[in-house]
């Protein structure tokens, strides 16, 4: 549940931070309503997820969302449209939900995702919204690292097969389990979350690319780690059976731990081969 609207100083600082990040990257991110701009957003998402015949969100839906006051952001690098973000507001005092964010291939590792989240954050704070949610695949390490380690957002719920069967090129053939994450927009987004290995018990280990069985924590254990393969997308192509095993084992762990009020407190690249979530007992 949202708290009171943020002070004006927090709103202005968020706008400055978003503007500065975009200027640093040479990126222009604007809220768009023009029909052609909305079509461009649809085209970008179709190119990212490779669904030209069946877009993951269509022009009419974007038009309705924008008309209802929900922000549709289009990112341009010079004259080229390179990414977009779509989200919507829920009932009064609920968080803003960032539904789809994406950049075209070749944009990874350039900071564009960080810039567009800062732009969404500034928009929310200007509207008096102080929390944002979104979902992500908890096995995709780069997203976990970005969401938790870079933004300081907190995983709050594990959602089994959330979208049902998906047919896009990225998710086809795999269970669409997702992690719901909550971002406190009033916190400093430049203060990442990291954890040391001290006092942490492994709940799931990476055994040469294969997951161990989930070992529930015993009484007296207050911090556990959950290993995940560093590049699950490559593993799905190379060995889908092993990739699926990671899904099922981590599903057991997250469902049990988050369901018993354990809290994710960090994510790190533990080795060249896997990352790890760190959770602490309440």
């Amino acid at each position: 549940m949202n708290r009171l609207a943020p002070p004006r100083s927090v709103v202005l600082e968020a706008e400055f931070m978003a503007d500065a990040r975009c200027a640093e990257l040479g990126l222009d991110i604007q809220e768009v309503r023009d029909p052609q701009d909305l079509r461009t957003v649809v085209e970008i998402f179709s190119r990212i997820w490779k669904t030209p015949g069946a877009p993951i969100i269509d022009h009419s839906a974007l038009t309705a969302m924008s008309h209802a006051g929900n922000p549709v952001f289009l990112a341009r690098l010079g004259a080229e449209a390179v990414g977009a973000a779509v989200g919507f507001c829920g009932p009064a005092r609920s968080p803003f939900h960032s539904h789809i964010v994406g950049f075209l291939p070749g944009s990874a590792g350039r900071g564009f995702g960080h810039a567009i989240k800062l732009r969404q954050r500034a928009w929310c704070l200007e509207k008096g919204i102080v929390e944002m949610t979104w979902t992500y695949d908890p096995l995709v390490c780069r997203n976990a690292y970005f969401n938790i380690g870079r933004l300081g957002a907190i995983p709050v719920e594990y959602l089994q097969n959330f979208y049902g069967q998906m047919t896009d090129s990225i998710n086809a053939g795999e269970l669409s389990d997702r992690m719901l994450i909550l971002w406190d927009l009033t916190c400093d987004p430049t203060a990442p979350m990291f954890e040391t290995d001290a006092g942490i018990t492994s709940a799931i280990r990476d055994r040469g690319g294969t997951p161990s069985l989930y070992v529930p924590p015993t009484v007296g254990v207050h911090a556990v780690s959950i290993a995940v393969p560093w590049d699950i997308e490559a593993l799905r192509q190379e060995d889908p059976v092993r990739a699926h095993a990671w899904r099922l084992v981590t599903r057991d762990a997250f469902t049990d731990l988050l369901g018993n009020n354990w809290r994710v407190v960090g994510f790190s690249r533990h080795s060249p081969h896997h990352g790890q979530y760190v959770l602490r007992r309440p």
Side-chain angles (χ1 to χ4, degrees):
M1 187 67 69
N2 280 355
R3 297 171 292 182
L4 296 176
R8 187 62 185 167
S9 60
V10 173
V11 176
L12 294 175
E13 183 181 18
E15 292 174 350
F16 174 81
M17 188 176 295
D19 289 344
R21 186 62 171 147
C22 286
E24 176 187 356
L25 299 171
L27 201 61
D28 180 39
I29 303 175
Q30 299 292 335
E31 185 178 356
V32 295
R33 298 182 180 86
D34 179 79
Q36 184 53 52
D37 287 334
L38 297 178
R39 290 189 182 92
T40 299
V41 171
V42 172
E43 292 168 2
I44 286 174
F45 288 153
S46 294
R47 289 173 62 189
I48 294 169
W49 278 274
K50 299 179 182 178
T51 58
I56 58 175
I57 190 166
D58 63 24
H59 176 261
S60 61
L62 283 186
T63 299
M65 290 173 64
S66 176
H67 187 266
N70 298 293
V72 179
F73 288 106
L74 182 60
R76 291 185 172 92
L77 189 62
E80 181 185 3
V82 294
V86 176
F88 47 81
C89 302
R93 298 182 63 79
S94 64
F96 172 82
H97 187 75
S98 178
H99 180 44
I100 307 173
V101 178
F103 282 86
L104 293 174
S107 300
R110 300 176 67 177
F112 292 173
H114 186 233
I116 210 163
K117 296 310 288 186
L118 292 180
R119 182 64 76 205
Q120 286 183 310
R121 173 177 180 261
W123 185 94
C124 288
L125 290 171
E126 174 64 34
K127 303 297 182 184
I129 302 169
V130 297
E131 292 177 329
M132 185 188 303
T133 59
W134 62 93
T135 63
Y136 75 98
D137 185 338
L139 290 180
V140 179
C141 274
R142 67 177 185 280
N143 289 345
Y145 183 84
F146 174 74
N147 293 335
I148 302 167
R150 187 76 187 276
L151 297 178
I154 304 296
V156 293
E157 185 179 4
Y158 190 89
L159 304 166
Q160 295 188 23
N161 209 23
F162 184 58
Y163 294 111
Q165 183 177 359
M166 303 181 74
T167 59
D168 64 272
S169 64
I170 296 174
N171 298 290
E174 182 53 89
L175 296 170
S176 60
D177 288 23
R178 292 294 182 266
M179 188 75 80
L180 180 69
I181 199 159
L182 178 67
W183 191 21
D184 181 349
L185 304 179
T186 65
C187 291
D188 181 2
T190 64
M193 297 171 59
F194 296 106
E195 281 280 321
T196 67
D197 291 340
I200 297 175
T201 300
S202 295
I204 295 177
R205 297 178 182 272
D206 179 354
R207 293 180 170 171
T210 300
S212 66
L213 294 177
Y214 168 53
V215 179
T218 57
V219 174
V221 173
H222 296 283
V224 299
S225 64
I226 296 176
V228 289
W230 190 254
D231 192 348
I232 188 65
E233 292 153 316
L235 185 60
R236 285 172 184 157
Q237 298 297 318
E238 299 164 4
D239 192 339
V241 172
R242 192 157 42 132
H244 186 65
W246 277 103
R247 172 70 80 207
L248 297 181
V249 170
T250 55
R251 171 192 277 188
D252 287 345
F254 283 121
T255 300
D256 178 43
L257 293 169
L258 293 179
N260 284 288
N261 298 318
W262 284 66
R263 177 184 173 91
V264 175
V265 295
F267 185 90
S268 63
R269 184 165 188 168
H270 191 63
S271 80
H273 307 293
H274 73 271
Q276 70 174 21
Y277 290 83
V278 177
L279 298 89
R280 291 196 177 276
R281 190 186 292 273

